[in-house]
Amino acid sequence: MLLAEPYRIKVVEPIARTTREERERFITEAGYNTFLLRSKDVYLDFLTDSGTSAMSDNQWAGMMLGDEAYAGSRNFLALQETVRRYYGFAYMVPTHQGRGAENLLSRILIKPGDYIPGNMYFTTTRAHQELNGGTFVDVIVDEAHDATADLPFKGNVDLTKLESLIARVGPERIPYISLAVTVNLAGGQPVSMANMRAVKQIAERHGINVMLDATRCVENAYFIKEREAGYAGQTIAEILLEMMSYSDGCTMSGKKDCLVNIGGFLAMNDESLYQRACELVVLFEGMPTYGGLAGRDMEAMARGIVESLDYDYIAHRIAQVRYLGEALRAAGVAIVEPIGGHAVFLDARRFLAHLTQDEFPAQSLAAHLYIEGGVRAMERGIVSAGRDDDGNQRYPKLELVRLAIPRRVYTYAHLDVAAEAVIQLFRHRDEIPGLTMVYEPRILRFFTARFEPIAKPEADLTRAREASIASVH
Ligand code: PM9
């Protein structure tokens, strides 16, 4: 049975359909990069779950209570109180979004030559670590890099990998352990409470801090409640507090689990770390009591944090994501298993088995999904992985297309339409060509890189068409 929406719709935003011919033109103009499409040309926008949530009437009401004083806004005090109560951290500096917090944290704690262990890289997080002279070291369990491995807590840290890094480089060269809950690029996979506890114990033994990337921590808490022994009877809020207790602080992109369109924060328990964050935030964001946000944005985030902990909200959220994933799986489409918290990830390696990774299969698949059904998704593979310090192309094992579901925005009918588009595309997958990159930005290239299709001889296309017709029958 469908878990129906725990809300009713008060405001609607029309979305327009386009023709296939129009979409072919739009994606060509966008250099086969879905980031460069205009939103008005997209029917179902699953590019990201970041900043795309629908706010509640309660949050919009809070926006009217914005205290836009330059310093000491009452909305800051409300946000600080909310973070203390639900996340358990004594101090909090607001930032314009998650990467603002990553910038502050990386600048304060990382010295050139340091190593930062983490459970799989994330694009902006690693970019800030590297900009400050650090080296990210992936200590996630091996199975996280295997799209087919079906484990309840596939975001877990491999404790042996963590211990051996500490032994190899020494704890003094590890400013903190960067622990993401859930793990975005592994497919929105959660970390178990037991694993978080164990990471904290190891870190304490060596005098190393644990800093969480709490961006999707509520989704992680839901999975703990659902899957980990001993947590079924606890509330999401209780689980979240315990998760946070195994860390020394966190960066937060409020644009995800805090249910706002903009905002983030850096939180911690250590007063001296807070003081340094206050010194830096005035340089990059604004006063420590607004950090790049309007008072009304802080109010919306404070209220969003409370709403995000409501069981009905989070159960429905996860149910929607699962609904889409199960429809694709039933049609034989290769997806990352198990279905994660914020998105369904298509496995482009298996979907487009005729392409090599250098032909950017996930990028091409995302572009062709847009052509097929006006559905916008995001590449999470070789393009996102970028190059290492020596300019060498990184080759991630996972070559994925992410369909991220915005929170409280789409209905199950929209998900049916999206699934149908993916399934249609799957039927003629052999016709999808590889791409060549014609413009490559130096940093975070996936946002603005441009591509062109690799022309295939007509004979190849005919053969591919015949093969795909045969494979359907
Ligand atoms: N994540 C996402 O779409 C937004 C743009 S990056 C392609 O998944 C984690 C785990 C994130 C994240 C953003 C950030 C940065 C940090 N950690 O976008 O700066 O998923 O608020 O947060 C995006 P901001």
Side-chain angles (χ1 to χ4, degrees):
M1 240 234 318
L2 278 189
L3 193 53
E5 283 73 12
Y7 48 80
R8 56 185 175 188
I9 297 165
K10 193 176 319 218
V11 176
V12 295
E13 178 187 359
I15 46 177
R17 285 182 179 274
T18 48
T19 65
R20 190 181 184 95
E21 290 67 35
E22 284 171 332
R23 293 194 293 275
E24 280 170 351
R25 183 155 51 80
F26 296 147
I27 198 72
T28 306
E29 286 166 4
Y32 280 75
N33 186 343
T34 52
F35 276 99
L36 302 179
L37 289 166
R38 286 170 300 218
S39 149
K40 74 173 183 55
D41 301 329
V42 173
Y43 181 50
L44 298 175
D45 204 346
F46 298 155
L47 181 70
T48 178
D49 62 325
S50 178
T52 52
S53 300
M55 291 207 298
S56 67
D57 51 359
N58 177 50
Q59 285 176 291
W60 280 107
M63 297 281 281
M64 291 305 291
L65 300 176
D67 170 358
E68 307 305 343
Y70 191 79
S73 159
R74 65 170 171 263
N75 311 118
F76 167 76
L77 298 174
L79 179 61
Q80 179 177 255
E81 182 46 36
T82 308
V83 170
R84 278 189 183 147
R85 179 159 175 201
Y86 294 106
Y87 285 71
F89 297 117
Y91 305 102
M92 183 274 308
V93 178
T95 56
H96 73 284
Q97 58 184 82
R99 69 199 74 179
E102 290 171 346
N103 177 34
L104 300 180
L105 181 71
S106 304
R107 281 176 183 267
I108 294 169
L109 292 184
I110 300 174
K111 300 181 302 303
D114 280 352
Y115 294 86
I116 305 96
N119 49 347
M120 198 173 276
Y121 89 97
F122 184 71
T123 52
T124 58
T125 319
R126 183 175 65 191
H128 280 294
Q129 292 165 353
E130 289 175 347
L131 274 174
N132 288 283
T135 301
F136 171 79
V137 182
D138 190 1
V139 294
I140 201 166
V141 294
D142 285 343
E143 292 89 339
H145 293 277
D146 174 358
T148 63
D150 194 353
L151 298 178
F153 292 104
K154 216 174 153 182
N156 278 357
V157 168
D158 180 327
L159 302 175
T160 312
K161 285 187 195 171
L162 178 61
E163 294 267 28
S164 59
L165 176 75
I166 298 171
R168 183 163 65 80
V169 303
E172 60 291 343
R173 292 179 71 194
I174 302 180
Y176 60 96
I177 299 166
S178 175
L179 187 61
V181 286
T182 59
V183 183
N184 188 350
L185 297 191
Q189 306 296 340
V191 179
S192 71
M193 195 73 93
N195 191 253
M196 296 181 72
R197 203 178 298 126
V199 169
K200 181 65 178 153
Q201 278 165 3
I202 293 173
E204 268 176 359
R205 224 173 35 243
H206 295 282
I208 301 172
N209 281 335
V210 176
M211 299 301 291
L212 295 183
D213 179 343
T215 296
R216 296 184 180 85
C217 57
V218 179
E219 289 165 10
N220 201 101
Y222 179 84
F223 285 121
I224 289 176
K225 183 175 171 69
E226 187 183 58
R227 297 178 184 172
E228 192 161 351
Y231 289 95
Q234 293 207 16
T235 64
I236 299 293
E238 285 165 345
I239 295 171
L240 187 70
L241 256 190
E242 185 180 342
M243 286 167 57
M244 296 296 140
S245 76
Y246 301 129
S247 77
D248 299 284
C250 75
T251 54
M252 181 73 186
S253 169
K255 300 171 72 171
K256 284 83 164 174
D257 271 359
C258 302
L259 295 170
V260 284
N261 304 122
I262 194 71
F265 58 81
L266 172 62
M268 67 288 278
N269 283 321
D270 180 61
E271 193 179 354
S272 65
L273 179 59
Y274 174 61
Q275 271 170 358
R276 286 158 77 196
C278 289
E279 286 162 19
L280 265 193
V281 77
V282 292
L283 191 59
F284 291 104
E285 305 274 333
M287 281 288 289
T289 55
Y290 76 82
L293 293 175
R296 55 180 172 271
D297 297 328
M298 292 189 282
E299 187 63 36
M301 189 152 64
R303 292 176 183 221
I305 287 172
V306 179
E307 288 177 18
S308 73
L309 301 172
D310 173 51
Y311 179 77
D312 289 343
Y313 151 74
I314 188 65
H316 169 262
R317 156 109 186 113
I318 303 291
Q320 273 208 333
V321 175
R322 223 167 253 172
Y323 178 84
L324 175 62
E326 283 169 359
L328 297 180
R329 185 196 285 144
V333 176
I335 58 171
V336 172
E337 301 287 355
I339 299 162
H342 66 300
V344 176
F345 289 69
L346 309 179
D347 184 356
R349 277 186 193 278
R350 285 182 286 158
F351 203 115
L352 299 182
H354 60 288
L355 299 184
T356 67
Q357 201 169 16
D358 284 313
E359 294 174 312
F360 306 115
Q363 187 76 30
S364 186
L365 181 52
H368 285 85
L369 180 57
Y370 171 70
I371 296 173
E372 184 70 36
V375 178
R376 171 152 72 168
M378 184 192 291
E379 191 266 8
R380 297 277 74 164
I382 186 169
V383 181
S384 297
R387 294 180 183 275
D388 66 18
D389 281 348
D390 302 323
N392 298 315
Q393 173 66 62
R394 291 187 175 108
Y395 287 92
K397 278 202 186 143
L398 294 174
E399 181 68 27
L400 310 175
V401 170
R402 186 186 72 174
L403 292 130
I405 312 300
R407 296 167 182 78
R408 307 194 289 205
V409 171
Y410 291 110
T411 64
Y412 288 100
H414 288 124
L415 300 176
D416 284 338
V417 174
E420 192 49 38
V422 176
I423 294 164
Q424 280 299 334
L425 191 60
F426 187 61
R427 295 201 173 115
H428 60 94
R429 59 191 178 279
D430 298 328
E431 292 172 35
I432 298 174
L435 300 176
T436 173
M437 201 185 311
V438 292
Y439 164 61
E440 180 179 358
R442 263 183 341 107
I443 299 179
L444 297 177
R445 64 185 187 180
F446 59 93
F447 282 123
T448 52
R450 299 184 72 84
F451 303 82
E452 283 173 5
I454 300 168
K456 288 262 185 223
E458 189 48 36
D460 280 10
L461 276 179
T462 314
R463 253 199 315 279
R465 254 178 233 127
E466 283 163 7
S468 76
I469 290 165
S471 74
V472 171
H473 295 293

